[in-house]
């Protein structure tokens, strides 16, 4: 029993390796790209719509509503990043029902890459919303003494995102593999269903945390209340 899809090597030349994590990641990206092209090729604005378009609108509307509930004022601006992040993680967890498939989220390299994407996206959206000066000023709030602590917070939460997702996804795969060895007929079915639920919850939590971090970075300074005009003579 291997612990991660990193151990499955399809091709290697020197330092370069083509392992199972890379193959499964690109397979998921291809499935997402192909699925989006198939669903969106015949969109309709009439009352009569296909089931796939209805499903697509439900998913997009739900993600947009969640982004707005987090506190981001223009959810469509962040839909491309946060929506893709959620769909990738959700599809990775759904594909675990395929026999012999190892989800890329069970590898620390994949979860670290996803956390780094969030790490880069937070200052990107923060600078685009507040400007470079306004974003850098947020590291010194409420006082300059907080500067090193805010920097450490940025790094530690990135590490926490990667380790949390990796631990939760890998633990489910490990438990399922152990139960397949002990009781290969009954318990794996229930654990597979539980694994699907856990994977969807982890995809939701990871995306919501990314949205919260972006919302904190894009939060501008609070406007001072306007003085009340003196109407007394």
């Amino acid at each position: 029993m291997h612990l991660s899809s990193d151990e499955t090597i399809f091709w290697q030349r020197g330092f370069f390796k083509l392992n199972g994590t890379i193959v499964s990641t690109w397979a998921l990206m291809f499935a997402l790209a192909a699925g989006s092209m198939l669903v969106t090729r015949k969109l309709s604005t009439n009352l009569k719509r296909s089931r796939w378009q209805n499903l697509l609108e439900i998913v997009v509307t739900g993600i947009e509503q969640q982004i707005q509930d987090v506190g981001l004022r223009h959810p469509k601006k962040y839909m491309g990043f946060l929506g893709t992040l959620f769909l990738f993680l959700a599809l990775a967890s759904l594909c675990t029902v395929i026999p012999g498939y190892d989800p890329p989220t069970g590898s620390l390299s994949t979860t670290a890459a996803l956390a780094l994407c969030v790490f880069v996206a937070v200052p990107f959206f923060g600078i685009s919303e507040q400007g470079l000066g306004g974003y850098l000023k947020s590291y010194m709030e409420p006082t300059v003494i907080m500067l090193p602590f805010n920097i450490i917070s940025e790094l530690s939460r990135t590490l926490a995102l990667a380790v949390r997702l990796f631990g939760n996804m890998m633990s489910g795969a490990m438990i399922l593999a152990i139960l397949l060895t002990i009781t290969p007929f009954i318990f794996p079915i229930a654990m597979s269903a539980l694994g699907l639920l856990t994977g969807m919850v982890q995809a939701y939590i990871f995306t919501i945390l990314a949205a919260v971090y972006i919302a904190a970075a894009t939060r501008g300074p609070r406007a001072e209340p306007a003085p009340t005009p003196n109407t007394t003579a």
Side-chain angles (χ1 to χ4, degrees):
M1 179 181 65
H2 60 276
L3 297 178
S4 171
S5 55
D6 291 338
E7 300 178 6
T8 304
I9 306 297
F10 294 100
W11 175 85
Q12 180 177 1
R13 173 169 290 185
F15 179 77
F16 298 97
K17 295 180 181 180
L18 182 63
N19 55 29
T21 301
I22 298 176
V23 173
S24 59
T25 300
W26 280 93
L28 283 178
M29 292 191 295
F30 176 79
L32 286 173
S36 63
M37 292 178 61
L38 291 175
V39 174
T40 59
R41 62 176 180 172
K42 292 183 179 181
L43 294 179
S44 174
T45 57
N46 301 325
L47 295 178
K48 186 178 181 181
R49 302 174 183 179
S50 64
R51 295 179 180 178
W52 288 108
Q53 182 175 347
N54 290 330
L55 177 61
L56 176 64
E57 292 182 358
I58 292 173
V59 173
V60 172
T61 304
I63 296 176
E64 184 176 348
Q65 184 62 44
Q66 290 297 318
I67 294 174
Q68 188 174 8
D69 291 342
V70 168
L72 294 170
R73 292 175 291 180
H74 307 289
K76 292 183 179 180
K77 180 179 179 181
Y78 313 98
M79 176 65 71
F81 175 71
L82 295 175
T84 303
L85 187 66
F86 172 76
L87 291 177
F88 178 83
L89 294 172
L91 183 61
S93 63
L94 290 176
C95 289
T96 54
V97 297
I98 301 176
Y101 176 83
D102 293 323
T105 48
S107 170
L108 185 58
S109 58
T110 302
T111 57
L114 294 173
L116 286 176
C117 290
V118 177
F119 179 76
V120 174
V122 169
F124 174 80
F125 289 115
I127 293 173
S128 65
E129 187 73 19
Q130 303 186 64
L132 180 60
Y135 176 74
L136 294 179
K137 186 179 178 181
S138 64
Y139 282 91
M140 295 181 288
E141 292 179 353
T143 177
V144 183
I145 302 177
M146 295 301 297
L147 176 61
F149 298 101
N150 287 329
I151 295 176
I152 294 174
S153 174
E154 289 279 346
L155 299 175
S156 62
R157 72 186 185 188
T158 302
L159 178 62
L161 274 177
V163 174
R164 180 189 294 110
L165 182 62
F166 168 72
N168 290 323
M169 297 301 293
M170 185 179 178
S171 61
M174 288 293 297
I175 293 175
L176 181 60
I178 294 174
L179 290 178
L180 279 172
T181 305
I182 301 175
T183 55
F185 297 107
I186 301 175
F187 287 104
I189 299 176
M191 288 304 301
S192 297
L194 182 60
L196 290 178
L197 177 61
T198 303
M200 297 299 294
V201 170
Q202 292 305 317
Y204 175 78
I205 292 176
F206 192 94
T207 306
I208 289 297
L209 287 176
V212 169
Y213 297 155
I214 293 174
T218 57
R219 184 185 64 242
R222 296 182 180 178
E224 296 293 334
T228 304
N230 188 3
T231 58
T232 60

